[in-house]
Amino acid sequence: MKKLVSISVFLLLALSWKASGQIITSKEEAVEKGLYSYSEVPGSLDITSGNSGNQSSETEEKSKKKRKRRNKKNESANELATQPVSVTKTEIELDENDYGFVSDFTMDNYTQIQIVNNAMDFEGVRYRTGGTTKDGMDCSGLVFTTFKIFDISLPRSSYEQAKVGEEIKITEVKPGDLLFFKTNRRKKTINHVGLVTSVENGEILFIHSTLSLGVTVSSMSEEYYTKSFAQANRILN
């Protein structure tokens, strides 16, 4: 019995000594045994067994690639932000179904047709006194902005716009011409303007901005405009 106890004690001491050899007492010792590695990337910590050095390098390399992609993306965004924004007039394809006058198209009236097309692009914009943008515009603002697209400067008010160009008869108007009205019976002065969009079978349609409908298309056959009509002007010859 004593012999068996002695053998057991010997075995326990041997196992205890062998196990003590695996105890890690410092970070340096763990590094030497290949059980610990660390990365310089903030917040990263690798505890591995074996190829810890390779994993640390891979992690650092991935971080560098991410930073490089992020910097490249930021550079591209900054480059786009600094590029000048260009505003050009709308070149709208001509369609005879939309504009009855297109069948009379020539290079001489091309500008007038494109002026009409650009004016029609504002249809539906709400009315705003003094407005000249798609956020809102009044009648003279619509005409002023449309001609400005083609570098043609007109006065800001309908009263002053009526003094520009050549006054013509209502029976001579073509798309691109301006129609002026006196809608205030008390003042009896020009206070409204519209731009002719089409003339077909004797009917004259024009685009303008009204207080109730905003930018819309109306007809000269309507009694209100027939009675308040003052004159027609041709800006472009």
Side-chain angles (χ1 to χ4, degrees), residues 9 59 77 90 113 115 145 149 164 222:
V9 171
T59 301
T90 304
I113 291 174
I115 284 177
T145 300
I149 294 173
V164 179
E222 297 175 41

Side-chain angles (χ1 to χ4, degrees), residues 107-122:
M107 286 308 296
D108 292 334
N109 63 9
Y110 176 79
T111 301
Q112 286 92 325
I113 291 174
Q114 288 300 335
I115 284 177
V116 171
N117 289 339
N118 280 266
M120 292 296 294
D121 194 42
F122 293 114

